Protein backbone atom coordinates (compact mmCIF):
# COMPACT_ATOMS: atom_id res chain seq x y z
CA UNK A 1 0.00 0.00 0.00
CA UNK A 2 1.50 3.34 -1.06
CA UNK A 3 1.46 6.05 1.63
CA UNK A 4 0.33 9.14 -0.29
CA UNK A 5 1.26 11.37 2.65
CA UNK A 6 4.88 10.35 2.06
CA UNK A 7 4.79 10.05 -1.73
CA UNK A 8 6.19 13.51 -2.59
CA UNK A 9 9.24 15.26 -1.22
CA UNK A 10 8.30 17.87 1.35
CA UNK A 11 7.03 21.14 -0.11
CA UNK A 12 9.67 23.86 -0.12
CA UNK A 13 12.61 21.43 -0.06
CA UNK A 14 15.39 22.90 -2.21
CA UNK A 15 16.03 19.50 -3.82
CA UNK A 16 12.63 19.54 -5.53
CA UNK A 17 13.01 19.89 -9.27
CA UNK A 18 10.79 22.90 -9.90
CA UNK A 19 10.88 22.22 -13.65
CA UNK A 20 8.46 19.35 -13.21
CA UNK A 21 5.98 21.24 -11.07
CA UNK A 22 3.00 23.32 -12.16
CA UNK A 23 4.13 26.60 -13.72
CA UNK A 24 7.48 26.25 -11.95
CA UNK A 25 5.76 26.64 -8.56
CA UNK A 26 7.12 23.96 -6.24
CA UNK A 27 4.19 24.57 -3.88
CA UNK A 28 1.69 24.34 -6.75
CA UNK A 29 -1.65 22.51 -6.50
CA UNK A 30 -2.47 19.04 -7.69
CA UNK A 31 -4.29 18.17 -10.89
CA UNK A 32 -8.05 18.59 -10.58
CA UNK A 33 -10.52 15.71 -11.17
CA UNK A 34 -11.62 17.44 -14.39
CA UNK A 35 -8.01 17.70 -15.62
CA UNK A 36 -7.35 14.04 -14.85
CA UNK A 37 -10.56 12.97 -16.59
CA UNK A 38 -9.79 15.15 -19.62
CA UNK A 39 -6.27 13.71 -19.94
CA UNK A 40 -7.62 10.17 -19.81
CA UNK A 41 -10.30 10.96 -22.38
CA UNK A 42 -7.76 12.42 -24.79
CA UNK A 43 -5.31 9.51 -24.51
CA UNK A 44 -7.85 6.73 -24.10
CA UNK A 45 -6.20 5.13 -21.06
CA UNK A 46 -6.75 5.22 -17.31
CA UNK A 47 -3.82 6.19 -15.15
CA UNK A 48 -2.90 3.67 -12.45
CA UNK A 49 -4.78 4.63 -9.29
CA UNK A 50 -1.73 5.38 -7.07
CA UNK A 51 -0.33 7.77 -9.71
CA UNK A 52 -3.74 9.33 -10.27
CA UNK A 53 -4.15 9.96 -6.54
CA UNK A 54 -0.60 11.31 -6.19
CA UNK A 55 -1.04 13.76 -9.08
CA UNK A 56 -4.23 15.02 -7.42
CA UNK A 57 -2.07 15.99 -4.43
CA UNK A 58 0.79 17.53 -6.43
CA UNK A 59 0.98 17.79 -10.19
CA UNK A 60 4.46 16.34 -10.65
CA UNK A 61 7.71 16.62 -8.73
CA UNK A 62 10.40 14.72 -6.83
CA UNK A 63 9.51 11.58 -4.89
CA UNK A 64 10.38 11.48 -1.21
CA UNK A 65 13.85 10.01 -0.62
CA UNK A 66 13.97 8.80 -4.24
CA UNK A 67 15.88 10.56 -7.07
CA UNK A 68 12.89 10.29 -9.39
CA UNK A 69 11.05 13.22 -10.99
CA UNK A 70 7.46 12.49 -12.05
CA UNK A 71 6.22 14.65 -14.93
CA UNK A 72 3.18 16.89 -14.49
CA UNK A 73 0.05 15.66 -16.21
CA UNK A 74 0.50 17.68 -19.42
CA UNK A 75 3.98 16.18 -19.94
CA UNK A 76 2.85 12.57 -19.53
CA UNK A 77 2.33 11.75 -23.19
CA UNK A 78 2.93 8.97 -25.71
CA UNK A 79 6.52 8.59 -26.89
CA UNK A 80 7.22 10.51 -30.09
CA UNK A 81 8.01 9.26 -33.59
CA UNK A 82 11.75 9.59 -33.13
CA UNK A 83 11.59 7.42 -30.01
CA UNK A 84 9.50 4.79 -31.79
CA UNK A 85 11.89 4.67 -34.73
CA UNK A 86 15.07 4.26 -32.68
CA UNK A 87 13.90 2.34 -29.61
CA UNK A 88 15.53 -1.03 -29.04
CA UNK A 89 13.05 -3.45 -27.44
CA UNK A 90 13.27 -7.21 -26.89
CA UNK A 91 9.65 -7.79 -27.95
CA UNK A 92 7.76 -5.91 -30.64
CA UNK A 93 5.44 -3.20 -29.28
CA UNK A 94 1.89 -3.71 -30.52
CA UNK A 95 0.70 -0.13 -30.10
CA UNK A 96 3.16 2.70 -29.36
CA UNK A 97 0.22 5.02 -28.60
CA UNK A 98 -0.17 3.04 -25.38
CA UNK A 99 3.40 3.76 -24.21
CA UNK A 100 3.83 6.95 -22.16
CA UNK A 101 6.92 8.62 -20.72
CA UNK A 102 5.99 9.63 -17.17
CA UNK A 103 9.19 10.21 -15.18
CA UNK A 104 12.97 10.55 -15.30
CA UNK A 105 15.82 9.74 -12.96
CA UNK A 106 17.30 12.81 -11.27
CA UNK A 107 20.91 11.56 -11.26
CA UNK A 108 21.48 9.31 -14.28
CA UNK A 109 20.34 9.30 -17.90
CA UNK A 110 17.26 7.16 -17.43
CA UNK A 111 13.60 7.67 -18.32
CA UNK A 112 10.52 5.73 -17.21
CA UNK A 113 7.58 4.47 -19.27
CA UNK A 114 4.02 3.33 -18.60
CA UNK A 115 3.09 0.57 -21.07
CA UNK A 116 -0.62 -0.31 -21.36
CA UNK A 117 -0.15 -2.96 -24.08
CA UNK A 118 -0.19 -6.03 -21.83
CA UNK A 119 -3.45 -5.34 -19.97
CA UNK A 120 -5.20 -2.87 -22.24
CA UNK A 121 -5.90 0.87 -21.93
CA UNK A 122 -8.13 0.47 -18.87
CA UNK A 123 -5.88 -2.08 -17.19
CA UNK A 124 -2.77 -1.79 -15.03
CA UNK A 125 0.27 -0.66 -17.06
CA UNK A 126 3.69 -2.21 -16.74
CA UNK A 127 6.74 0.00 -16.18
CA UNK A 128 9.90 0.08 -18.28
CA UNK A 129 13.09 2.14 -18.29
CA UNK A 130 15.02 3.60 -21.20
CA UNK A 131 18.31 5.36 -21.77
CA UNK A 132 18.17 8.50 -23.90
CA UNK A 133 21.37 7.91 -25.85
CA UNK A 134 20.71 4.54 -27.44
CA UNK A 135 16.98 4.35 -26.50
CA UNK A 136 17.36 0.87 -25.03
CA UNK A 137 14.09 -0.12 -23.33
CA UNK A 138 14.19 -2.54 -20.40
CA UNK A 139 11.27 -3.92 -18.33
CA UNK A 140 11.23 -2.66 -14.74
CA UNK A 141 7.99 -3.92 -13.15
CA UNK A 142 4.76 -5.68 -14.13
CA UNK A 143 2.66 -2.91 -12.58
CA UNK A 144 2.96 0.66 -11.33
CA UNK A 145 2.18 -0.49 -7.79
CA UNK A 146 5.02 -3.02 -7.93
CA UNK A 147 7.35 -0.37 -9.33
CA UNK A 148 6.50 2.11 -6.57
CA UNK A 149 6.84 -0.51 -3.85
CA UNK A 150 10.41 -1.10 -5.03
CA UNK A 151 11.09 2.65 -5.03
CA UNK A 152 9.91 3.29 -1.47
CA UNK A 153 11.40 0.14 0.03
CA UNK A 154 14.26 0.83 2.45
CA UNK A 155 17.09 -1.35 3.72
CA UNK A 156 18.97 -1.38 6.99
CA UNK A 157 22.33 -0.94 5.28
CA UNK A 158 23.57 0.88 2.16
CA UNK A 159 24.29 -1.16 -0.96
CA UNK A 160 27.40 0.96 -1.49
CA UNK A 161 30.05 -0.19 0.99
CA UNK A 162 32.25 2.82 1.67
CA UNK A 163 34.74 0.70 3.60
CA UNK A 164 35.88 -0.60 0.20
CA UNK A 165 37.58 2.76 -0.30
CA UNK A 166 39.75 2.36 2.79
CA UNK A 167 43.17 1.03 1.78
CA UNK A 168 41.68 0.26 -1.64
CA UNK A 169 44.07 -1.65 -3.91
CA UNK A 170 45.01 0.04 -7.16
CA UNK A 171 44.01 3.46 -5.78
CA UNK A 172 44.31 6.15 -8.46
CA UNK A 173 43.03 9.24 -6.66
CA UNK A 174 41.24 10.47 -3.57
CA UNK A 175 39.77 13.98 -3.45
CA UNK A 176 37.48 16.00 -1.17
CA UNK A 177 35.51 18.98 -2.49
CA UNK A 178 33.64 21.26 -0.10
CA UNK A 179 31.08 23.54 -1.69
CA UNK A 180 27.70 25.12 -1.04
CA UNK A 181 24.65 23.35 -2.42
CA UNK A 182 21.85 25.13 -4.31
CA UNK A 183 20.30 26.20 -1.02
CA UNK A 184 23.57 27.64 0.29
CA UNK A 185 24.18 24.87 2.84
CA UNK A 186 27.61 23.27 3.22
CA UNK A 187 28.16 20.17 1.11
CA UNK A 188 31.09 17.77 1.35
CA UNK A 189 31.90 15.53 -1.62
CA UNK A 190 34.42 12.72 -1.16
CA UNK A 191 35.65 10.91 -4.28
CA UNK A 192 37.74 7.77 -4.68
CA UNK A 193 38.86 6.38 -8.04
CA UNK A 194 40.40 2.90 -8.29
CA UNK A 195 41.54 0.76 -11.18
CA UNK A 196 39.71 -2.52 -11.58
CA UNK A 197 41.02 -4.79 -14.32
CA UNK A 198 41.03 -2.73 -17.51
CA UNK A 199 38.37 -0.37 -16.19
CA UNK A 200 37.60 1.93 -13.28
CA UNK A 201 35.47 2.01 -10.15
CA UNK A 202 34.41 5.47 -8.96
CA UNK A 203 33.04 6.01 -5.45
CA UNK A 204 31.43 9.19 -4.10
CA UNK A 205 30.11 10.14 -0.67
CA UNK A 206 28.12 13.37 -0.57
CA UNK A 207 27.12 14.59 2.85
CA UNK A 208 25.20 17.62 4.07
CA UNK A 209 23.60 18.51 7.40
CA UNK A 210 20.84 15.90 7.21
CA UNK A 211 21.63 13.77 4.16
CA UNK A 212 24.20 11.22 3.06
CA UNK A 213 24.37 9.86 -0.48
CA UNK A 214 26.77 7.16 -1.66
CA UNK A 215 27.47 6.00 -5.21
CA UNK A 216 29.64 3.33 -6.81
CA UNK A 217 30.07 3.35 -10.59
CA UNK A 218 31.84 0.50 -12.33
CA UNK A 219 33.15 1.47 -15.79
CA UNK A 220 34.54 -1.45 -17.80
CA UNK A 221 37.52 -0.74 -19.99
CA UNK A 222 38.65 0.57 -22.29
CA UNK A 223 38.28 4.24 -21.33
CA UNK A 224 37.81 6.57 -24.32
CA UNK A 225 41.02 8.61 -24.46
CA UNK A 226 39.65 11.19 -26.89
CA UNK A 227 36.81 12.12 -24.53
CA UNK A 228 38.90 12.42 -21.36
CA UNK A 229 38.59 16.20 -21.27
CA UNK A 230 38.94 18.61 -18.35
CA UNK A 231 36.32 21.36 -18.23
CA UNK A 232 34.75 23.85 -15.86
CA UNK A 233 32.17 22.08 -13.70
CA UNK A 234 30.80 24.04 -10.74
CA UNK A 235 30.43 27.83 -11.03
CA UNK A 236 32.06 30.35 -8.67
CA UNK A 237 32.41 30.98 -5.81
CA UNK A 238 33.12 27.26 -5.30
CA UNK A 239 34.42 26.73 -8.81
CA UNK A 240 35.67 23.27 -9.72
CA UNK A 241 36.90 21.46 -12.80
CA UNK A 242 35.99 17.90 -13.74
CA UNK A 243 37.80 15.14 -15.60
CA UNK A 244 35.40 13.28 -17.90
CA UNK A 245 36.08 9.54 -17.93
CA UNK A 246 33.91 7.53 -20.31
CA UNK A 247 33.69 3.82 -21.07
CA UNK A 248 33.63 2.45 -24.61
CA UNK A 249 31.41 -0.43 -23.50
CA UNK A 250 27.92 -0.12 -22.02
CA UNK A 251 27.82 -3.80 -21.09
CA UNK A 252 29.24 -4.20 -17.63
CA UNK A 253 28.49 -0.67 -16.39
CA UNK A 254 26.90 -0.88 -12.95
CA UNK A 255 25.74 2.14 -10.98
CA UNK A 256 24.84 1.65 -7.31
CA UNK A 257 23.33 4.49 -5.28
CA UNK A 258 22.45 4.60 -1.58
CA UNK A 259 20.86 7.49 0.27
CA UNK A 260 19.74 7.72 3.87
CA UNK A 261 15.97 8.08 3.99
CA UNK A 262 13.90 10.16 6.39
CA UNK A 263 13.07 7.15 8.57
CA UNK A 264 16.75 6.26 9.03
CA UNK A 265 16.80 3.40 6.52
CA UNK A 266 18.68 3.36 3.24
CA UNK A 267 17.26 3.76 -0.24
CA UNK A 268 19.28 1.56 -2.57
CA UNK A 269 19.10 1.41 -6.35
CA UNK A 270 21.02 -0.27 -9.13
CA UNK A 271 21.26 0.80 -12.78
CA UNK A 272 23.00 -1.16 -15.53
CA UNK A 273 24.27 0.29 -18.78
CA UNK A 274 24.32 3.90 -17.54
CA UNK A 275 25.89 6.30 -16.88
CA UNK A 276 28.62 5.72 -19.46
CA UNK A 277 30.94 8.27 -17.81
CA UNK A 278 31.92 9.76 -14.45
CA UNK A 279 33.16 13.25 -13.56
CA UNK A 280 36.06 13.46 -11.10
CA UNK A 281 36.07 16.94 -9.53
CA UNK A 282 38.92 19.10 -8.28
CA UNK A 283 39.82 22.79 -8.09
CA UNK A 284 43.38 21.85 -9.14
CA UNK A 285 43.75 21.47 -12.92
CA UNK A 286 47.29 20.10 -12.66
CA UNK A 287 46.04 17.36 -10.35
CA UNK A 288 43.38 16.36 -12.87
CA UNK A 289 45.89 16.38 -15.72
CA UNK A 290 48.18 14.08 -13.72
CA UNK A 291 45.25 11.78 -12.95
CA UNK A 292 44.31 11.65 -16.63
CA UNK A 293 47.86 10.62 -17.55
CA UNK A 294 47.80 7.90 -14.90
CA UNK A 295 44.43 6.53 -16.02
CA UNK A 296 45.18 6.54 -19.75
CA UNK A 297 48.86 5.62 -19.69
CA UNK A 298 50.26 5.39 -23.22
CA UNK A 299 47.02 6.84 -24.65
CA UNK A 300 47.27 10.05 -22.60
CA UNK A 301 48.72 11.96 -25.58
CA UNK A 302 45.43 11.46 -27.45
CA UNK A 303 43.48 13.24 -24.71
CA UNK A 304 46.12 15.94 -24.31
CA UNK A 305 46.13 16.70 -28.04
CA UNK A 306 42.32 16.84 -28.16
CA UNK A 307 42.27 19.05 -25.05
CA UNK A 308 44.81 21.46 -26.57
CA UNK A 309 42.71 21.75 -29.74
CA UNK A 310 39.54 22.26 -27.73
CA UNK A 311 41.10 24.91 -25.48
CA UNK A 312 42.59 26.74 -28.46
CA UNK A 313 39.28 26.70 -30.29
CA UNK A 314 37.42 27.92 -27.21
CA UNK A 315 39.83 30.83 -27.01
CA UNK A 316 39.33 31.65 -30.71
CA UNK A 317 35.57 31.49 -30.39
CA UNK A 318 35.67 33.73 -27.32
CA UNK A 319 37.66 36.32 -29.27
CA UNK A 320 35.16 36.43 -32.15
CA UNK A 321 32.24 38.75 -32.57
CA UNK A 322 28.86 37.06 -31.99
CA UNK A 323 28.20 37.13 -35.75
CA UNK A 324 31.51 35.45 -36.65
CA UNK A 325 31.03 32.91 -33.88
CA UNK A 326 27.60 31.98 -35.25
CA UNK A 327 29.03 31.61 -38.75
CA UNK A 328 31.93 29.47 -37.52
CA UNK A 329 29.67 27.19 -35.53
CA UNK A 330 27.29 26.86 -38.44
CA UNK A 331 30.13 25.92 -40.78
CA UNK A 332 31.45 23.30 -38.39
CA UNK A 333 27.97 21.91 -37.88
CA UNK A 334 27.41 21.45 -41.60
CA UNK A 335 30.88 19.98 -42.09
CA UNK A 336 30.27 17.46 -39.32
CA UNK A 337 26.97 16.53 -40.93
CA UNK A 338 28.67 16.28 -44.34
CA UNK A 339 25.98 18.43 -45.92
CA UNK A 340 27.86 21.35 -47.46
CA UNK A 341 31.41 22.35 -48.40
CA UNK A 342 33.29 24.73 -46.10
CA UNK A 343 32.07 28.31 -46.05
CA UNK A 344 34.37 31.25 -46.63
CA UNK A 345 34.03 33.14 -43.35
CA UNK A 346 36.42 35.90 -44.31
CA UNK A 347 38.70 37.54 -41.79
CA UNK A 348 38.59 36.39 -38.17
CA UNK A 349 40.51 37.50 -35.07
CA UNK A 350 43.07 34.80 -35.99
CA UNK A 351 44.08 35.05 -39.66
CA UNK A 352 45.12 31.39 -39.62
CA UNK A 353 41.63 30.27 -38.63
CA UNK A 354 40.49 28.35 -41.72
CA UNK A 355 40.09 24.67 -40.79
CA UNK A 356 37.24 24.10 -38.36
CA UNK A 357 37.11 20.31 -38.21
CA UNK A 358 38.98 20.35 -34.89
CA UNK A 359 35.92 21.88 -33.29
CA UNK A 360 34.31 18.45 -32.93
CA UNK A 361 33.87 18.09 -29.19
CA UNK A 362 32.67 21.59 -28.30
CA UNK A 363 30.52 21.75 -31.40
CA UNK A 364 28.71 18.54 -30.69
CA UNK A 365 27.46 20.18 -27.51
CA UNK A 366 26.58 23.43 -29.26
CA UNK A 367 25.13 22.13 -32.54
CA UNK A 368 21.51 22.66 -31.54
CA UNK A 369 21.96 26.24 -30.39
CA UNK A 370 24.19 27.12 -33.34
CA UNK A 371 21.64 25.86 -35.84
CA UNK A 372 18.94 27.89 -34.12
CA UNK A 373 21.16 30.95 -34.02
CA UNK A 374 21.87 30.59 -37.72
CA UNK A 375 18.16 30.84 -38.39
CA UNK A 376 15.38 28.50 -39.41
CA UNK A 377 15.32 29.61 -43.08
CA UNK A 378 17.44 28.28 -45.93
CA UNK A 379 19.90 31.16 -46.01
CA UNK A 380 23.46 30.62 -44.86
CA UNK A 381 25.25 33.30 -42.81
CA UNK A 382 27.18 34.32 -45.91
CA UNK A 383 23.96 35.01 -47.83
CA UNK A 384 22.36 37.36 -45.33
Amino acid sequence: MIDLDRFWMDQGDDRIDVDVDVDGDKDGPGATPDELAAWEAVHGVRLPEPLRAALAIRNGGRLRDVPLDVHPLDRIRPVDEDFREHAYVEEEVEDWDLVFEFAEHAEVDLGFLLDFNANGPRGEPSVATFTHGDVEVEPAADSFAEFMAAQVETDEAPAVDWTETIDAPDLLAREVVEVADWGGASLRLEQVLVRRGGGLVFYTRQSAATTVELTRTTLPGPIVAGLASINAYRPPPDATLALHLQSEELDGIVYLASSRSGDGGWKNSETRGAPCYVAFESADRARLEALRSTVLGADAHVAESRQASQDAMNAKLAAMTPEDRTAALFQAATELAGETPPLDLGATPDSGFHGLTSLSEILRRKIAESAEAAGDDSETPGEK
Side-chain angles (χ1 to χ4, degrees):
M1 184 69 177
I2 296 175
D3 183 357
L4 292 174
D5 290 334
R6 294 184 56 79
F7 189 93
W8 299 112
M9 183 174 284
D10 289 338
Q11 298 280 19
D13 192 308
D14 289 326
R15 291 172 295 170
I16 291 177
D17 184 349
V18 297
D19 289 340
V20 299
D21 286 310
V22 178
D23 297 326
D25 180 1
K26 59 189 175 186
D27 292 322
T32 67
D34 287 345
E35 289 171 335
L36 289 163
W39 185 95
E40 291 176 338
V42 168
H43 296 291
V45 299
R46 181 170 177 82
L47 289 168
E49 196 54 43
L51 179 58
R52 205 174 192 278
L55 290 172
I57 295 172
R58 184 188 303 172
N59 192 10
R62 178 71 51 83
L63 270 60
R64 182 186 297 269
D65 297 323
V66 180
L68 190 73
D69 292 327
V70 175
H71 298 327
L73 192 61
D74 64 354
R75 282 182 52 201
I76 299 176
R77 55 178 75 112
V79 295
D80 60 25
E81 290 298 329
D82 186 66
F83 186 103
R84 303 177 192 203
E85 180 181 350
H86 295 98
Y88 173 78
V89 294
E90 292 185 359
E91 298 182 6
E92 185 177 353
V93 175
E94 183 177 345
D95 187 351
W96 279 110
D97 286 339
L98 296 180
V99 180
F100 297 76
E101 183 178 353
F102 78 96
E104 59 188 16
H105 201 285
E107 296 174 356
V108 299
D109 181 17
L110 202 65
F112 296 85
L113 304 170
L114 295 175
D115 184 353
F116 289 85
N117 277 279
N119 298 313
R122 309 296 293 180
E124 181 75 9
S126 61
V127 177
T129 63
F130 71 92
T131 52
H132 290 85
D134 54 10
V135 200
E136 185 171 0
V137 179
E138 297 282 353
D142 291 335
S143 69
F144 181 80
E146 178 186 322
F147 171 75
M148 284 306 306
Q151 302 309 304
V152 301
E153 181 182 5
T154 60
D155 300 313
E156 292 184 0
V160 179
D161 185 0
W162 190 254
T163 63
E164 294 176 359
T165 68
I166 301 172
D167 298 325
D170 296 321
L171 176 70
L172 294 172
R174 190 185 301 271
E175 182 91 7
V176 177
V177 175
E178 296 193 7
V179 297
D181 65 16
W182 294 112
S186 177
L187 183 70
R188 177 182 174 87
L189 174 64
E190 301 169 72
Q191 307 162 97
V192 176
L193 185 68
V194 301
R195 195 183 298 280
R196 189 67 48 83
L200 303 171
V201 180
F202 181 53
Y203 297 85
T204 69
R205 178 163 64 181
Q206 185 171 283
S207 53
T210 59
T211 63
V212 177
E213 297 178 0
L214 306 170
T215 70
R216 181 182 188 270
T217 308
T218 301
L219 293 180
I223 302 302
V224 186
L227 296 181
S229 58
I230 298 171
N231 297 294
Y233 198 70
R234 296 183 193 264
D238 302 308
T240 63
L241 302 164
L243 170 60
H244 179 111
L245 296 170
Q246 180 164 330
S247 175
E248 281 188 11
E249 300 293 336
L250 293 181
D251 293 341
I253 294 176
V254 181
Y255 173 80
L256 291 178
S258 302
S259 60
R260 194 186 297 277
S261 65
D263 61 8
W266 287 89
K267 287 294 306 172
N268 294 314
S269 63
E270 178 178 313
T271 303
R272 293 184 176 271
C276 61
Y277 73 92
V278 297
F280 192 98
E281 284 187 70
S282 176
D284 187 339
R285 187 183 185 94
R287 179 170 170 77
L288 292 178
E289 290 174 344
L291 175 58
R292 179 170 61 186
S293 295
T294 300
V295 169
L296 298 178
D299 291 333
H301 71 282
V302 176
E304 292 163 0
S305 176
R306 181 69 62 86
Q307 184 84 56
S309 296
Q310 177 177 318
D311 291 347
M313 196 58 61
N314 275 327
K316 289 178 179 180
L317 288 172
M320 288 181 177
T321 65
E323 293 78 12
D324 284 344
R325 187 181 305 119
T326 295
L329 290 171
F330 181 79
Q331 172 181 330
T334 53
E335 286 181 0
L336 285 171
E339 295 176 356
T340 65
L343 300 173
D344 181 5
L345 301 180
T348 70
D350 181 344
S351 60
F353 180 65
H354 295 297
L356 293 175
T357 54
S358 59
L359 277 166
S360 57
E361 290 309 315
I362 55 175
L363 294 173
R364 290 182 198 281
R365 297 195 299 267
K366 296 180 179 179
I367 271 234
E369 62 185 67
S370 67
E372 180 180 355
D376 294 330
D377 54 37
S378 60
E379 292 181 338
T380 66
E383 294 173 330
K384 292 185 177 181

